[in-house]
Amino acid sequence: MTTRFPALVTALWVLALSLSLATPLSAAQPTAEQANVVQAMRTMYVAATNDDLAEFHSVTTPEFYAFDNGKRFTGDALMAVVKRLHASGIVAVWKVTEPEVHITGQTAWITYVNKGSMHDSSGTKPMTWLESAVLVKENGNWRIQFLDSTRVPPI
């Protein structure tokens, strides 16, 4: 019996170690609803890239507002800023990466790292923002109600 006890302890230790090295729950495949929340954010950036106010409105609520660059913007005001950037020759690229989505009933919030760039006649400047948003489900679709964007300073 004494020879079995160390083997049992070793087996339990190996099992505990292997479980601790397993993929964390947060890295699991997103649910369909979580994927729909992420897609709403990506659609917003497609709309901004294309200066498409109608598409932007399709994924935002009428009450949408954003905190960006130290200011509060309505949806139309934010899109007007983006349109002015494009008119000045700036090409913006935004990518939703590392999303974490939390859903409670008809409300979702998402945090993600926006890894993108700004390109103008002087070249391309990589940029990163830490962003979060609150979405509500209306008529079966996730719509963005609030967006917060904080630029990560360049190193």
Side-chain angles (χ1 to χ4, degrees), residues 51 80-92 118-122:
D51 295 329
V81 169
V82 171
K83 191 171 187 173
R84 282 194 300 275
L85 286 174
H86 292 159
S88 73
I90 294 174
V91 176
M118 295 287 173
H119 177 84
D120 61 16
S121 60
S122 67

Side-chain angles (χ1 to χ4, degrees), residues 52-64:
D52 188 338
L53 193 56
E55 185 171 25
F56 180 83
H57 286 159
S58 77
V59 292
T60 59
T61 65
E63 304 84 18
F64 172 89

